[in-house]
């Protein structure tokens, strides 16, 4: 054997020229198969398996205790209780406890399930060849024939009374679940659209609690008013004043840019809602020279000389205006309610 024919020990037999012709290499895209399964310690040691079992049971037990803590927190802590918790600072005891217990309950369930799957459930990989999902033609034909036979035997086509009442029953059953939505809270009805203001109600100065007269409103001042008949000790005072709060300013008529605003005013005295149209904060800052009012919460700015339109900030629309006049006693009075709902936009407005 020549030196060129000495077998190379570093080459497999199918590639060694000394063993004959070089064989064609295997298909590089061939299925390499699954690697050999390596057993886990839990598969060969029952004590390790028992430890994993106790760990999973401990996590599930922790989840149960956290759920009990969630329910207990909901009962124990009042809504307005504030506590100091490092490093979070002052937080609501109810919100913090509910979030913590619910988070632990959900995390413990997930962690227990993952530990169970990784240590105790079978980890043997099984390969299965793909096969057509579509049924054979004879199977599909049989299913269609069976369906036709069933429809014919049920007489649903001939028994129209049964068919129609069945469809009616199936359509009405879901309404039971819709009715349960009523427990989510009272319906808004028209409460968000209307306030206590109506034609003939006098404007009451919230500082003096006396009816406002035109001469009480001077240029450069900002006056707050509420409707006649609203008492501070009334049970629903906060709800009513949150919608009916009014701010009054006097502007020289020639400086009012909006035509309707001028028509709804009295001798330059204009009345707008005090409630910001962004998130409902009370507006209290007035710039005499520019006739701008500023919401202190998020700096939404409105021009009271131009229909109270928004000129800066996140507010979505102008402040609603209240049409006012003077009654026979010389006091300022409302000539109706606001022309649109006060405060932030809401989806029922349409």
């Amino acid at each position: 054997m020549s030196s060129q024919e000495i077998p190379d020990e570093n080459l497999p037999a199918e590639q060694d020229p000394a063993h004959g012709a070089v064989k064609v290499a295997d298909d590089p895209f061939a299925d390499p198969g699954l690697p050999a399964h390596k057993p886990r310690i839990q598969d060969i040691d029952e004590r390790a398996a028992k430890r994993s079992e106790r760990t999973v049971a401990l996590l599930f037990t922790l989840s149960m205790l956290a759920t009990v803590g969630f329910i207990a927190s909901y009962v124990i802590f009042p809504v307005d209780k504030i506590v100091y918790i490092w490093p979070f600072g002052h937080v609501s005891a109810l919100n913090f406890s509910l979030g913590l217990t619910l988070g632990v309950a959900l995390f413990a369930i997930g962690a227990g399930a993952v530990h169970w799957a990784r240590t105790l459930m079978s980890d043997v990989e099984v390969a299965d060849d793909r096969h057509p999902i579509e049924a054979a033609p004879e199977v599909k034909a049989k299913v269609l024939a069976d369906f036709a036979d069933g429809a014919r035997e049920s007489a649903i086509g001939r028994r129209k009374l049964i068919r129609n009442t069945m469809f009616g029953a199936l359509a009405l059953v879901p309404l039971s679940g819709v009715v349960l939505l009523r427990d989510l809270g009272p319906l808004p009805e028209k409460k968000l659209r209307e306030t206590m203001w109506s034609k003939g109600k006098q404007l009451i100065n919230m500082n003096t609690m006396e009816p406002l007269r035109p001469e009480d409103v001077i240029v450069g001042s900002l006056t707050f008013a509420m409707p006649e008949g609203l008492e501070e000790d009334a049970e629903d005072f906060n709800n009513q004043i949150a919608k009916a709060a009014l701010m009054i300013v006097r502007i020289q008529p020639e400086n009012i840019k909006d035509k309707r605003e001028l028509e709804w005013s009295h001798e330059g005295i204009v009345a707008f809602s005090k409630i910001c149209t962004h998130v409902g904060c009370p507006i209290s800052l007035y710039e005499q020279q520019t006739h701008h009012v500023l919401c202190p919460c998020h700096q939404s700015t409105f021009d009271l000389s131009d229909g109270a339109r928004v000129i800066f900030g996140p507010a979505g629309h102008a402040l609603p205006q209240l049409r006012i006049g003077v009654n026979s006693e010389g006091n300022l009075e409302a000539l109706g309610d606001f022309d649109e709902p006060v405060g932030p936009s809401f989806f029922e407005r349409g």
Side-chain angles (χ1 to χ4, degrees):
M1 180 181 296
S2 65
S3 60
Q4 288 82 5
E5 296 178 349
I6 297 175
D8 188 346
E9 296 178 356
N10 297 323
L11 293 176
E14 64 270 19
Q15 296 182 10
D16 188 357
H19 288 81
V22 178
K23 295 183 179 180
V24 179
D26 293 337
D27 183 5
F29 299 103
D31 183 6
L34 295 174
H37 175 257
K38 295 181 180 180
R40 302 162 299 188
I41 187 173
Q42 290 85 356
D43 297 330
I44 58 179
D45 188 350
E46 182 60 23
R47 290 180 300 177
K50 286 292 184 182
R51 287 196 298 270
S52 295
E53 181 181 0
R54 288 192 293 269
T55 301
V56 174
L58 177 62
L59 288 169
F60 288 161
T61 303
L62 176 62
S63 175
M64 290 187 286
L65 294 176
T67 301
V68 173
F70 179 90
I71 299 172
S73 299
Y74 190 82
V75 175
I76 295 173
F77 294 113
V79 176
D80 56 352
K81 183 176 180 59
I82 304 298
V83 296
Y84 179 81
I85 299 178
W86 186 90
F88 304 103
H90 291 87
V91 297
S92 167
L94 177 61
N95 291 346
F96 184 83
S97 59
L98 291 180
L100 179 64
T101 52
L102 182 60
V104 171
L106 296 178
F107 173 80
I109 289 178
V114 170
H115 191 69
W116 182 10
R118 291 179 62 88
T119 60
L120 297 176
M121 293 184 184
S122 175
D123 66 337
V124 178
E125 296 183 358
V126 179
D128 192 9
D129 294 334
R130 294 182 179 179
H131 55 80
I133 299 177
E134 184 180 16
E138 57 272 15
V139 175
K140 292 193 290 184
K142 185 178 184 304
V143 170
L144 292 176
D146 291 344
F147 180 81
D149 291 341
R152 183 171 57 257
E153 293 173 0
S154 67
I156 193 171
R158 294 188 298 109
R159 309 294 183 182
K160 294 183 179 181
L161 180 61
I162 293 178
R163 180 188 63 193
N164 295 339
T165 52
M166 178 188 70
F167 289 156
L170 293 177
L172 289 178
V173 162
L175 293 180
S176 301
V178 175
V179 172
L180 295 178
L181 297 177
R182 180 64 179 82
D183 286 342
L184 293 177
L187 297 175
E189 298 175 345
K190 294 185 177 180
K191 296 176 183 177
L192 300 177
R193 295 182 176 273
E194 300 176 350
T195 71
M196 283 190 64
W197 291 108
S198 61
K199 186 175 181 178
K201 282 204 172 183
Q202 297 186 115
L203 279 61
I204 304 299
N205 190 321
M206 294 189 65
N207 292 325
T208 65
M209 301 307 293
E210 297 291 334
L212 267 173
R213 302 178 65 85
E215 55 268 26
D216 297 333
V217 184
I218 59 176
V219 175
S221 66
L222 181 64
T223 306
F224 300 122
M226 66 180 188
E228 177 186 14
L230 181 59
E231 303 295 336
E232 289 192 70
D233 57 352
E235 183 178 350
D236 62 342
F237 175 80
N238 290 332
N239 290 332
Q240 295 295 342
I241 198 61
K243 296 185 295 181
L246 203 65
M247 57 181 176
I248 315 294
V249 297
R250 182 189 286 271
I251 304 174
Q252 296 296 341
E254 61 270 17
N255 292 332
I256 297 179
K257 307 170 188 176
D258 187 80
K259 180 179 179 182
R260 196 192 72 162
E261 177 184 351
L262 182 60
E263 293 175 351
W264 283 28
S265 68
H266 175 75
E267 298 177 354
I269 300 175
V270 294
F272 288 97
S273 171
K274 183 183 176 183
I275 309 303
C276 180
T277 56
H278 177 216
V279 293
C281 293
I283 298 173
S284 57
L285 304 176
Y286 176 57
E287 298 175 350
Q288 175 187 352
Q289 301 298 324
T290 61
H291 310 300
H292 294 170
V293 287
L294 177 70
C295 176
C297 292
H298 305 96
Q299 287 70 56
S300 292
T301 307
F302 306 86
D303 186 355
L304 296 190
S305 66
D306 191 13
R309 66 181 181 88
V310 183
I311 59 175
F312 179 79
H317 55 277
L319 297 172
Q321 183 179 4
L322 185 71
R323 190 172 186 176
I324 59 174
V326 174
N327 60 16
S328 58
E329 300 176 357
N331 299 326
L332 292 172
E333 65 174 2
L335 299 180
D337 200 353
F338 289 106
D339 59 323
E340 62 180 66
V342 302
S345 300
F346 53 94
F347 65 91
E348 295 95 340
R349 290 182 68 166

